[in-house]
Amino acid sequence: MAATKDSYAIISLGGKQYRVREGERLLVDRLKTDEGKTFNPDVLFLGGDGDGTLSPQTQVTVKVVGHVLGDKIRIGKRRPKSGYRKQTGFRASLSQIEIQSIGGTAKRTTAAATPAAEKETPAPKPKAETPTPRPAAAAPAAPAPASPPRGYEDFTVADISEKSKRWKVEQLEAALKFEKKNANRKGAIAALESALVAKQEKN
């Protein structure tokens, strides 16, 4: 289905789905893409005039306008007959995006393209006079850098406090680094630091 001015698309961002049109701006959960840069999210559906298309071969171009904080939500806690009162606040980390275009074919790299390129530039044959030296043993691959647990961006402070007790030290360190750099939620940072100290004491 070709994209027209009446076309709309359903895209997937951060585990959520959004119905968008060209030129539209909306707020989504904080993205890793820097401000002013563009990216192409997964397109789940393309609709408009006529029948819609599931999993279309269409590309949607999205620009990150800026990173902002949502409205402050106040959370109050009290215990009856004890005089205990406590208030905390929370502001969601969001990104404002603009849908620049809906249309064009998504770039898909096929597995057959790689062997074809290799055939065009064959490796030079070794000379018969000089014996081919044995290749040195490949150095062991460096371990991949630890990353926060899957879906961490969608965790609330309560989720982090509960689940961090079961995470590994590497995951805790990566989650703490991500939290300080992006969301910077005091409750989440305190829970991660506490869980990290407990893990290190056990070791």
Side-chain angles (χ1 to χ4, degrees):
M1 175 182 176
T4 65
K5 65 178 182 179
D6 296 325
S7 294
Y8 67 89
I10 297 178
I11 60 175
S12 175
L13 284 176
K16 298 180 181 179
Q17 297 179 9
Y18 300 90
R19 184 178 185 273
V20 298
R21 293 180 181 271
E22 282 189 14
E24 185 178 12
R25 287 193 177 192
L26 64 155
L27 289 174
V28 299
D29 292 337
R30 180 66 59 89
L31 301 172
K32 295 181 180 180
T33 307
D34 295 333
E35 293 184 9
K37 293 188 176 180
T38 60
F39 66 98
N40 304 111
D42 293 334
V43 183
L44 307 178
F45 183 83
L46 181 66
D49 297 333
D51 297 331
T53 306
L54 282 172
S55 300
Q57 304 291 321
T58 301
Q59 184 170 277
V60 175
T61 302
V62 178
K63 179 181 179 181
V64 178
V65 178
H67 299 304
V68 297
L69 293 176
D71 295 334
K72 190 166 187 178
I73 300 174
R74 294 195 175 274
I75 304 168
K77 296 182 181 179
R78 61 180 296 273
R79 293 176 186 167
K81 302 180 182 179
S82 66
Y84 176 84
R85 299 286 189 277
K86 185 177 181 181
Q87 274 199 350
T88 57
F90 170 75
R91 298 184 71 182
S93 298
L94 305 172
S95 295
Q96 186 179 39
I97 62 173
E98 180 180 356
I99 310 303
Q100 291 193 321
S101 65
I102 298 177
T105 304
K107 296 180 181 179
R108 297 181 181 271
T109 54
T110 59
T114 303
E118 291 177 355
K119 289 180 182 178
E120 293 177 1
T121 57
K125 295 182 180 179
K127 296 181 179 180
E129 294 81 6
T130 55
T132 306
R134 293 185 179 180
S147 57
R150 187 175 181 182
Y152 178 84
E153 296 177 4
D154 298 327
F155 288 172
T156 63
V157 175
D159 293 336
I160 295 171
S161 301
E162 179 184 353
K163 297 179 180 181
S164 60
K165 300 174 183 177
R166 301 189 294 271
W167 296 344
K168 297 180 180 179
V169 175
E170 295 80 4
Q171 291 178 311
L172 288 169
E173 291 175 346
L176 184 59
K177 183 177 180 181
F178 176 86
E179 185 69 34
K180 289 181 177 179
K181 184 178 179 182
N182 296 278
N184 200 22
R185 295 172 289 182
K186 293 182 179 179
I189 292 174
L192 291 169
E193 289 178 344
S194 176
L196 185 58
V197 171
K199 288 284 184 180
Q200 291 174 344
E201 289 178 352
K202 287 183 179 180
N203 297 334

